[in-house]
Amino acid sequence: MTAPGDRAAALDGNAMAGDLREIFAVDVTSARFMCAGCTHTDAVATLMLWHQAPGLVARCPNCDDVVMRVVRAPDRVYLDLRGSVRLEVPLEGS
Amino acid sequence: MARTAVSGRLIWRAATVAEARWESPTARTLVLDVPDWPGHLPGQHVDVRLTAEDGYSAQRSYSIASAWPEPGGKVELTVQRLDDGEVSPYLTDTVQVGDQVELRGPVGGWFVWRDKQPAPVLLLGGGSGVVPLMAMVRARALARTKQPFRLIYSVRTPEDLLYADELRRRVRDDAGLDVHYVYTRKTPDNWPSPPKRIDVAALNTYGWPPDFAPDCFVCGPTTFVETAADILVALGHDPRRIRTERFGGTS
Amino acid sequence: MGIISRGFGGRRRESVPGLPPGQYLTHDFPVLSAGPTPRIPLDRWRFTVTTETGDQKSWNWTEFQALPADDVTVDIHCVTKWSKLGTTWRGVSLDTLLADVESAADYTMVHSFGGYTTNVPMEDLLDGKAWVAYKFDGEDLEPEHGGPARLLIPHLYFWKSAKWVNGVQLMTEDDPGFWEAAGYHMYGDPWREQRYQGD
Ligand SMILES: Cc1cc2nc3c(=O)[nH]c(=O)nc-3n(C[C@H](O)[C@H](O)[C@H](O)COP(=O)(O)OP(=O)(O)OC[C@H]3O[C@@H](n4cnc5c(N)ncnc54)[C@H](O)[C@@H]3O)c2cc1C
Ligand SMILES: [Zn+2]
């Protein structure tokens, strides 16, 4: 029930890099997610990102389910990962 | 109250505008002095944060246009003005040499090209989406590597071209680099085809065939990226070799 | 606060007295969205109240349009810090929709097409405080702003005014919705600046 073009408002996971790098020591956008809804797996950078909202909402490019949510409060960041079954994080230099 | 710093955590730092130059009537390159810049890979970006007198602040991402290392340790961004935008008109028209903005980066480890990647590289840029691709072109020259590079650059009119002179010079001097232009609103005089958006015919003609197995980087307005990436897949390119970065908006 | 960027004004906004703390006045109607905009054909639209025992009561678009409606003029406050004053809406009061419902529930979860949810205490839906609105400024509510119909609950931050609303589930215990589960406040009173958990 979504029309083509409705995704034009969206960015992608690349745009989350700064907010995630402020909490993690590694770049999470190069990690692979597995979608809890459809088991699709790919780099976090390929998630569809809605940023014109009270937080960042990253959805699976395959099924549109929410995979990650990032909410920034003045003194903390909330990261909701329930839409991803796991994250596979590559370690530089290994 | 003092807080314990999380080690390795990226923080905001002040960047000073050292130099600014127009790339087109509506786009400007800012050369920034960022103390202790750790270096970056082509394709990475920074987040820029602006704060008004009353504390209101706005944050946007901008790709790094320059390659690293840079002798003066500077970092360049190229910003395209959107007339009704909140941040871009400030960066193109208001900020002056000597002014400071806050910056967080470099960030993003996926939409990057590493000079050790042996494959040929196909770059598809729409509008300001050419900026991180230009960083790749510059990094290739700096590393003196030989992978064939091809840039297909979609732009509204000849006046909107970024880096026009430099691209012309590099096509002449950087062996193995070529560039094709797609004009979407107005072409130069005597251009062989009328203005059009990037389409199957353009990528079929100018792109490389899938069995050449190029690493593809697609960047620009969201609608451009979706169209161009879909065409690459339809033409038979391996989706795992296609990396995309969406800037938002429509082309 | 970071360093001031000389000459940066930002989006047109005004700090005026009488707004909730930390809010700016805007004259636009910014569109916030957390996903693709659902397009709901009216013949597939339905609004359902589900009680804590599983009893359901529902209306299709024609039945819903036949219910008595109110015209209201209210101020709205978004947690992203803009406020908009004197907005005019037409909608069906939740008092009407919940009138004949047998329930002892103190809490509700509001549901939308597209999967969005937000929790609202029962008492905040009643006594003329909340509507299912289908007209804004005299016009049919556009999909970008939540049409065909959205919840309108102006005394709470606007994320509680769920777009594309399709039902209310009554609950005996409070549960977090989409944003509440991700760090936003369970109640969200703009006058007490309840933006995030713990505020
Ligand atoms: C990872 C990343 C890298 C980026 N790199 C660059 C870069 O190198 N150079 C550059 O100029 N921009 C870049 N952008 C885009 C940049 O972040 C801003 O979105 C852009 O400058 C517009 O900001 P604004 O505040 O001026 O406009 P806003 O006030 O945010 O928007 C004004 C209007 O323009 C529309 N709009 C928003 N973004 C775009 C867009 N990209 N194209 C067309 N319409 C749009 C909006 O929907 C709105 O209607 C990048 C974005 C991302 C996510
Ligand atoms: Zn999925």
Side-chain angles (χ1 to χ4, degrees):
Chain A
M1 280 196 295
T2 55
D6 279 342
R7 286 174 161 208
L11 299 176
D12 56 37
N14 294 299
M16 287 198 288
D19 281 337
L20 293 174
R21 194 57 186 73
E22 215 178 334
I23 11 182
F24 295 106
V26 294
D27 171 48
V28 177
T29 65
S30 355
R32 294 177 76 79
F33 69 91
M34 185 190 277
C35 171
C38 73
T39 72
H40 176 76
T41 162
D42 208 336
V44 168
T46 66
L47 292 168
M48 304 298 299
L49 187 73
W50 271 263
H51 65 299
Q52 270 139 350
L56 299 176
V57 180
R59 292 176 178 268
C60 172
N62 190 50
C63 75
D64 271 348
D65 273 5
V66 177
V67 175
M68 289 171 95
R69 264 169 286 196
V70 184
V71 167
R72 285 192 65 100
D75 61 347
R76 72 198 64 201
V77 179
Y78 297 91
L79 182 62
D80 185 320
L81 284 171
R82 80 188 65 181
S84 60
V85 180
R86 64 155 196 252
L87 277 183
E88 178 187 336
V89 184
L91 300 173
E92 274 306 321
S94 52
Chain B
M1 195 179 74
R3 286 178 201 281
T4 352
V6 179
S7 78
R9 180 173 166 261
L10 193 61
I11 48 151
W12 292 93
R13 42 179 143 198
T16 309
V17 179
E19 198 189 312
R21 59 173 185 269
W22 289 97
E23 301 285 357
S24 80
T26 54
R28 196 162 73 146
T29 291
L30 301 176
V31 182
L32 301 174
D33 230 333
V34 199
D36 306 319
W37 184 252
H40 61 268
L41 293 168
Q44 286 195 290
H45 65 270
V46 298
D47 294 332
V48 172
R49 181 164 73 187
L50 304 177
T51 304
E53 298 271 349
D54 63 353
Y56 174 87
S57 79
Q59 179 186 324
R60 297 289 185 277
S61 301
Y62 292 96
S63 302
I64 303 169
S66 51
W68 187 265
E70 197 274 337
K74 307 251 191 321
V75 179
E76 299 189 6
L77 310 179
T78 303
V79 179
Q80 174 69 52
R81 178 173 71 217
L82 296 179
D83 288 333
D84 61 342
E86 177 170 36
V87 168
S88 60
Y90 176 83
L91 296 175
T92 51
D93 294 69
T94 308
V95 79
Q96 291 169 23
V97 170
D99 286 349
Q100 290 197 317
V101 297
E102 276 184 296
L103 186 149
R104 181 177 68 184
V107 294
W110 187 76
F111 192 79
V112 298
W113 177 72
R114 291 176 168 84
D115 56 29
K116 307 274 180 304
Q117 287 173 228
V121 175
L122 179 60
L123 306 171
L124 304 183
S128 56
V130 76
V131 175
L133 310 181
M134 192 63 187
M136 296 177 191
V137 168
R138 288 167 167 166
R140 170 182 182 272
L142 212 57
R144 299 175 181 281
T145 62
K146 299 280 182 281
Q147 298 90 326
F149 256 51
R150 173 167 293 179
L151 167 64
I152 300 178
Y153 180 7
S154 165
V155 63
R156 286 182 181 168
T157 74
E159 293 74 45
D160 290 309
L161 276 178
L162 306 179
Y163 320 122
D165 293 342
E166 182 180 342
L167 282 172
R168 207 172 301 124
R169 177 175 59 75
R170 287 191 180 279
V171 166
R172 196 189 59 213
D173 299 344
D174 296 7
L177 168 71
D178 57 43
V179 182
H180 292 277
Y181 299 94
V182 175
Y183 296 95
T184 63
R185 303 236 173 122
K186 192 184 109 199
T187 67
D189 294 339
N190 305 319
W191 195 250
S193 55
K196 58 165 190 175
R197 287 172 182 277
I198 200 148
D199 58 6
V200 177
L203 288 188
N204 223 351
T205 315
Y206 303 129
W208 278 318
D211 53 15
F212 204 54
D215 288 335
C216 306
F217 292 88
V218 186
C219 185
T222 296
T223 49
F224 169 87
V225 170
E226 309 238 312
T227 308
D230 283 351
I231 295 174
L232 287 177
V233 174
L235 290 175
H237 287 270
D238 182 349
R240 284 168 304 185
R241 287 189 172 273
I242 305 172
R243 300 205 163 188
T244 49
E245 183 164 88
R246 293 165 181 80
F247 278 10
T250 50
S251 45
Chain C
M1 192 195 330
I3 56 165
I4 308 292
S5 320
R6 190 147 58 93
F8 176 66
R11 265 245 190 286
R12 196 162 68 96
R13 63 186 188 285
E14 291 165 49
S15 289
V16 296
L19 291 183
Q23 295 293 107
Y24 301 104
L25 189 62
T26 179
H27 299 283
D28 315 329
F29 194 167
V31 174
L32 299 195
S33 62
T37 303
R39 311 275 158 171
I40 303 113
L42 293 181
D43 59 8
R44 287 177 55 191
W45 188 91
R46 198 159 253 292
F47 185 86
T48 307
V49 174
T50 309
T51 69
E52 67 274 26
T53 58
D55 287 346
Q56 291 196 327
K57 190 157 183 227
S58 85
W59 295 262
N60 65 24
W61 187 254
T62 318
E63 293 159 351
F64 173 73
Q65 294 284 306
L67 296 172
D70 299 337
D71 289 301
V72 293
T73 300
V74 296
D75 302 340
I76 55 181
H77 310 290
C78 179
V79 73
T80 61
K81 300 202 169 175
W82 54 265
S83 290
K84 192 170 167 61
L85 304 183
T87 59
T88 57
W89 305 81
R90 183 176 181 78
V92 177
S93 167
L94 265 294
D95 293 311
T96 305
L97 295 164
L98 295 171
D100 304 325
V101 175
E102 291 276 333
S103 170
D106 287 331
Y107 301 96
T108 77
M109 187 66 78
V110 179
H111 289 264
S112 296
F113 293 96
Y116 184 77
T117 54
T118 188
N119 55 318
V120 180
M122 184 68 143
E123 59 176 347
D124 289 85
L125 289 181
L126 299 174
D127 295 328
K129 293 201 283 284
W131 295 264
V132 172
Y134 55 89
K135 277 190 188 289
F136 169 72
D137 226 358
E139 307 283 339
D140 290 346
L141 191 57
E142 287 172 36
E144 289 69 28
H145 288 300
R150 75 180 299 161
L151 189 69
L152 175 66
I153 180 158
H155 70 288
L156 300 180
Y157 278 125
F158 212 45
W159 89 77
K160 297 282 186 182
S161 292
K163 298 204 261 189
W164 315 301
V165 69
N166 68 5
V168 180
Q169 189 182 346
L170 312 184
M171 314 183 294
T172 50
E173 273 165 49
D174 203 4
D175 252 338
F178 185 89
W179 285 119
E180 296 82 4
Y184 278 95
H185 199 276
M186 288 293 269
Y187 185 63
D189 178 354
W191 296 97
R192 288 186 275 164
E193 210 171 352
Q194 293 171 335
R195 297 179 197 274
Y196 306 100
Q197 282 169 26
D199 282 352

